[in-house]
Amino acid sequence: MSETDTLIVFIDPPASDRSLIPERFAGCSYMLYPLPDLANLYLLSYLEKHGFQTEIVNAALDNLTDKQFLNRLAELKPKALILHSVILAKPADIEIIPKILSTIQAPILVHGPEPTRVPEEYLSSVGNAAYNERLLIFRGEPEKNILNYLQFGGKDGVSLFEGDQIVHHPHTFAPIPIEEIPHTFHFHPTVKRLSSQFLNAKFPKQPVAAMLVSRGCPFTCSYCVPNSVSFARELEYRNTHTNQKPKSVYAKAERVIDEFKTIKEAGYPSVMVMDDQFLASKTRTLNICEGIQSLGLQWGCLSRPDFLGDEEIVAALAKSGCISVDIGIETLSQHLLDLIDKRLDLRTFYEAVPLLQRYGVEPKINILFGASEEETEEDIIRTVDELIRLKVHHVMFAIATPFKGTPFYEQAKEKNILIDDSDAIDPFRKSMISYPHLSADRLRKLIRYAYRRFYLRPSQFFYRLKSYRSWTFLKNDARVVMNLFIHRQNRRGE
């Protein structure tokens, strides 16, 4: 069997606008810093484990034109192409799929949250070019079903044209244990070549690897979009289990430690753990921290504040090399937290932040404006003032966006606050919602106010200046600032 018979090529098509490259793993914003697309990379490792050869053609990071991208695919002569698609990438992906199909004979296997939610949009847009199994949509969790198709032609969880009709084959919903998914992609030559672009301002040492060692989140925040892997499996599960979420799956501590070691061996000095709830179990967290503390890696993760009030946990995080924790608090109003079904006691936030600061772990706070119809401008200003008082250095402000497939989207439609039902989302600069007391225009102005109020203070300026360790950091931070501060109204069609 030749390499062509087993070569699977993972693709990231060209972006029509280089300043607006969709971030595919989180799946809900444009790229501020390049992040490895873990939804494709773990699948890549899984297929390699089962004997397939793999390659990656990332037109976004390699700055390829459509022609260069298509020529590269033709040169490779793959058995199949795999495309991970999200809502912001959908227009570009749908546009280029017919061009790919006319260039090569291999089928395109598409997965991700947006193909799971609306497989018909992808198939119908291509029409008869998708016939004869040229385009297949793999809904939900993809690994087992894509392997089954490549090996045996199985169609569990697949939507495709059969004749001239779209058929949706049922999904088995058997979650894949994380232990079955290797993490060899950290050594993949193309990943290593692209890794020089994996930068993140929170980490002094670059480049920054990324890892995902769980799937799913047990919490029911109405507005939340988890990472693209978790969201895809959640959307598919809801198709047949109304208002239910699939069971979350967590890797054992030994598996997590092993991937940290692999990242170290691959030459990365830093790693961002992308799990929605990495610290959910105290015993597991302590075992992981003990197992990685000798590696000398800098790392960060995401967490709710109620997992960070235990000093034993925070001390273990710091000792093991954790230097940053992203905290999604959304608002500093208990009343509003209750309304958005956060199931969180605000007091845990005020306990967690100073505890992290005491141990030298930098809290990065995520805030949403407009997640509840009862939020007022005074609530927003009070939240910004409180963050300044707490002396945190990293805050991300965004407008609550009713992502299709979330309860917030259905609520926004029902209450007639959804003013833009398109797929052209941009939580940092665009409002899809408008309240009688808090208009879309006012929400946009409040986002700009919050960034300027928080980041243009002298103390914040000098903190940022002291944190720069190279011109690369300075240039990347300047690019992010330009993206966040400049209101490109005409380009957004607002």
Side-chain angles (χ1 to χ4, degrees), residues 366-417:
N366 296 316
I367 299 294
L368 286 179
F369 295 167
S372 167
E373 62 183 332
E374 293 192 22
E375 185 168 39
T376 65
E377 185 168 329
E378 290 72 24
D379 290 320
I380 291 171
I381 292 172
R382 190 181 306 114
T383 290
V384 176
D385 289 344
E386 273 292 277
L387 292 170
I388 292 172
R389 186 187 67 80
L390 288 169
K391 297 181 180 179
V392 295
H393 299 295
H394 299 276
V395 181
M396 185 74 79
F397 300 101
I399 300 173
T401 297
F403 286 94
K404 294 173 180 178
T406 64
F408 186 40
Y409 174 76
E410 298 303 327
Q411 295 166 11
K413 287 180 63 178
E414 180 183 342
K415 296 179 179 180
N416 294 318
I417 63 170

Side-chain angles (χ1 to χ4, degrees), residues 144-183:
K144 288 182 178 179
N145 291 342
I146 286 181
L147 177 64
N148 186 33
Y149 175 76
L150 292 172
Q151 289 181 327
F152 309 112
K155 296 184 178 65
D156 290 345
V158 174
S159 296
L160 77 166
F161 274 108
E162 293 185 354
D164 60 356
Q165 300 295 314
I166 294 176
V167 175
H168 306 285
H169 292 271
H171 204 287
T172 61
F173 297 115
I176 187 169
I178 306 298
E179 282 71 20
E180 291 185 11
I181 306 175
H183 39 80

Side-chain angles (χ1 to χ4, degrees), residues 202-203 272 299-301 321-326 361-364:
K202 290 180 292 187
F203 296 92
M272 184 66 193
W299 65 280
C301 65
C322 180
I323 63 170
S324 173
V325 177
D326 282 44
V361 180
E362 187 70 37
K364 183 253 183 174

